[in-house]
Amino acid sequence: MESVKLAIGGISLVVAGVSILNVMMMSVSERTREIGVMRSIGARKGDVLRMFLYEALILGLAGSAVGGILSIGTGYVVDAVVLGRPDFLFAPSSLVYIIYGMIFGAATSIVSGIYPAWKAANLNPIEALRHE
């Protein structure tokens, strides 16, 4: 049973990482002219890189918060149905795993946002301004 839960969690994490990567790549492609304008008026590569990494972090924190809330709600219902009392869910040893999952989700979003941020930071400003 532990292996099944671990496999489901791993697959969910990969899907979330690929989803964030896709969203960030679309953000870079849609904002190419904006990146060109920023770079042409003096923004450094590091500024653009940080901007997109922060955006990925915000996506990850929002997704982790929603996932944590849904985990607590689902855990409450399952504990109430199976055990008859949901006291186990609110034990500190149980809640710490939800926090670990949220931290791991946010870290995954940052890792997924590295390539799109790097790609945005390394765009040629002149070519980015010509992008239509």
Side-chain angles (χ1 to χ4, degrees):
M1 196 62 166
E2 289 293 320
S3 300
V4 171
K5 287 194 295 187
L6 188 62
I8 290 172
I11 291 169
S12 299
L13 198 58
V14 169
V15 168
V18 170
S19 297
I20 290 174
L21 178 76
N22 185 31
V23 167
M24 294 304 298
M25 288 300 292
M26 291 303 298
S27 179
V28 168
S29 68
E30 289 176 358
R31 293 167 40 188
T32 301
R33 285 187 58 87
E34 178 185 333
I35 295 166
V37 169
M38 287 175 52
R39 292 289 313 279
S40 66
I41 62 172
R44 295 184 305 262
K45 287 183 178 183
D47 297 332
V48 175
L49 184 81
R50 275 191 300 279
M51 180 178 74
F52 281 96
L53 284 178
Y54 289 149
E55 186 175 334
L57 178 64
I58 289 169
L59 283 172
L61 289 175
S64 294
V66 169
I69 291 168
L70 289 175
S71 295
I72 290 172
T74 304
Y76 183 84
V77 170
V78 168
D79 282 350
V81 169
V82 173
L83 299 176
R85 56 181 239 269
D87 299 337
F88 176 73
L89 177 67
F90 298 108
S93 61
S94 296
L95 291 177
V96 74
Y97 289 112
I98 294 173
I99 294 169
Y100 287 159
M102 291 172 69
I103 292 169
F104 202 70
T108 300
S109 70
I110 291 174
V111 169
S112 297
I114 289 174
Y115 175 71
W118 174 81
K119 186 175 178 185
N122 289 316
L123 285 174
N124 185 349
I126 294 169
E127 290 178 16
L129 284 171
R130 277 191 250 158
H131 186 266
E132 197 57 40

